[in-house]
Amino acid sequence: MSLSGSVNVEPVITHVVMMKLTDPADTIEAVERLQYMDGKIPDLLSIEVLADALHRDGAFDLVLRSTHADEPVWSAIWNTPNIRHCWPGCDPGWRAGR
């Protein structure tokens, strides 16, 4: 795909998961476990883990942002139970509304 003829943009899927931990003391371990996936999963283009630094009421504790080449790759990775439930006490925000 080309925008104005001079910039090439490759389509990717960006997946964002916002998480609230049962115990905020688990933040460092959670970040380490999520970052461990970097380079270990074929076709995972990038992964970024962000931890809340302000600790405001109602804020999520972690944000996981990953990019994938296409939907089948994304689906194969994130529909694996070992990935979706990465550690005890993890409550992904996207599941809270279901």
Side-chain angles (χ1 to χ4, degrees), residues 1 9-13 45 68-70:
M1 176 181 359
V9 177
E10 294 295 324
V12 296
I13 292 178
L45 300 178
H68 313 270
D70 55 34

Side-chain angles (χ1 to χ4, degrees), residues 15-33:
H15 181 81
V16 178
V17 180
M18 301 173 79
M19 299 172 231
K20 191 77 172 162
L21 301 176
T22 304
D23 184 353
D26 292 334
T27 299
I28 293 172
E29 180 182 357
V31 168
E32 289 171 349
R33 286 186 184 212

Side-chain angles (χ1 to χ4, degrees), residues 3 7 12 29 31 55 63 68 70-71 74 82-83 93 95:
L3 301 174
V7 177
V12 296
E29 180 182 357
V31 168
H55 309 292
V63 174
H68 313 270
D70 55 34
E71 193 278 331
W74 170 85
N82 290 341
I83 297 297
R95 292 177 136 291

Side-chain angles (χ1 to χ4, degrees), residues 17-67:
V17 180
M18 301 173 79
M19 299 172 231
K20 191 77 172 162
L21 301 176
T22 304
D23 184 353
D26 292 334
T27 299
I28 293 172
E29 180 182 357
V31 168
E32 289 171 349
R33 286 186 184 212
L34 291 167
Q35 287 176 336
Y36 180 78
M37 291 190 293
D38 191 22
K40 306 269 186 309
I41 300 172
D43 301 318
L44 178 63
L45 300 178
S46 70
I47 188 165
E48 182 179 19
V49 183
L50 306 166
D52 176 37
L54 299 177
H55 309 292
R56 292 185 174 166
D57 288 339
F60 287 99
D61 298 312
L62 295 175
V63 174
L64 170 69
R65 182 172 45 207
S66 59
T67 57

